[in-house]
């Protein structure tokens, strides 16, 4: 059975992430989308909130499961018995960081974990979670950037913070 893991911060989930999830879900029997629980960061949405958001956004994809992890992604892969990590590539600017991460994961796992890159669909190539947060912070329109059900929740988060 082909099982892949798509790890990320997803803070917040964007339509670009969702595009990668939908396409990866067609390539693998099971896709686990996993939210990095990073204690050092102060995210907009908590890990639990991000897991719930992803579950809501992927409810139409029966072979997608949502989880969270902390620590190294290769340890998480080993625990799950998974050998493939999915990552999206938007532009050449992503490439250096992503290549380094893929090679680090390959080296650390002694070749057990490979990374499969999906190039982001052109319509979402400009999207980033940090861009969405900046637009929302200044009250701009994020309706083309994130799933519809998430738009107001993001504005509300910034209202709570102000
Ligand atoms: O959505 P992001 O923030 O680009 O995702 C980055 C993520 C979570 C994939 C990456 O930071 C990660 O895998 N972190 C876990 C720690 C780890 O395994 N580091 C080694 C790879 S350099």
């Amino acid at each position: 059975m082909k099982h892949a893991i798509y790890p990320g911060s997803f803070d917040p989930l964007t339509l670009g992430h969702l595009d990668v999830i939908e396409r990866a879900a067609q390539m693998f029997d099971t896709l686990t989308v996993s939210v990095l629980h990073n204690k050092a960061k102060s995210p907009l949405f908590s890990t639990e909130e991000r897991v719930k958001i992803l579950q809501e956004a992927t409810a139409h994809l029966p072979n997608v499961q949502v989880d969270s992890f902390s620590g190294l992604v290769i340890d998480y892969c080993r625990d799950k018995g998974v050998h493939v990590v999915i990552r999206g590539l938007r532009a050449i600017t992503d490439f250096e960081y992503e290549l380094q991460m893929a090679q680090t994961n390959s080296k650390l796992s002694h070749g057990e974990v490979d990374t499969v890159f999906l190039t982001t669909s052109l319509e979402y190539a400009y999207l980033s979670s940090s861009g969405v947060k900046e637009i929302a912070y200044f009250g701009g329109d994020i309706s083309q950037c994130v799933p519809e059900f998430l738009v107001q929740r993001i504005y509300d988060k910034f209202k709570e913070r102000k």
Side-chain angles (χ1 to χ4, degrees):
M1 194 171 96
K2 287 188 290 172
H3 185 172
I5 285 173
Y6 179 22
S9 302
F10 306 107
D11 187 43
L13 172 73
T14 68
L15 291 177
H17 293 130
L18 201 52
D19 172 56
V20 169
I21 292 169
E22 283 171 348
R23 286 159 54 214
Q26 287 179 14
M27 296 172 188
F28 292 87
D29 299 310
T30 306
L31 176 70
T32 300
V33 184
S34 202
V35 176
L36 175 68
H37 177 64
N38 188 347
K39 285 180 196 146
K41 281 192 177 175
S42 62
L44 187 62
F45 290 97
S46 69
T47 305
E48 295 72 24
E49 286 172 324
R50 282 178 277 160
V51 165
K52 283 205 182 107
I53 288 165
L54 274 159
Q55 283 169 338
E56 210 170 320
T58 60
H60 62 297
L61 302 168
N63 62 332
V64 172
Q65 51 196 38
V66 183
D67 193 15
S68 64
F69 76 105
S70 50
L72 292 177
V73 79
I74 56 142
D75 291 335
Y76 177 67
C77 286
R78 195 180 298 125
D79 289 348
K80 291 234 157 216
V82 173
H83 302 280
V84 178
V85 163
I86 300 288
R87 293 288 290 168
L89 274 182
R90 285 166 302 190
I92 200 78
T93 41
D94 282 342
F95 185 72
E96 203 171 325
Y97 166 67
E98 292 294 340
L99 179 69
Q100 192 183 35
M101 201 155 63
Q103 289 174 335
T104 304
N105 286 337
S106 176
K107 191 80 183 165
L108 283 177
S109 69
H110 306 285
E112 294 254 308
V113 174
D114 260 321
T115 301
V116 171
F117 293 112
L118 292 186
T119 51
T120 305
S121 299
L122 275 181
E123 58 192 305
Y124 304 125
Y126 70 98
L127 270 180
S128 71
S129 293
S130 50
V132 169
K133 282 185 274 199
E134 189 159 308
I135 298 166
Y137 177 80
F138 290 111
D141 180 8
I142 54 167
S143 61
Q144 307 294 309
C145 306
V146 300
E148 206 180 329
F149 74 89
L150 191 51
V151 173
Q152 194 53 48
R153 289 193 213 175
I154 295 173
Y155 291 132
D156 290 346
K157 274 283 171 190
F158 282 112
K159 261 190 226 148
E160 281 169 26
R161 284 188 167 195
K162 279 180 185 170

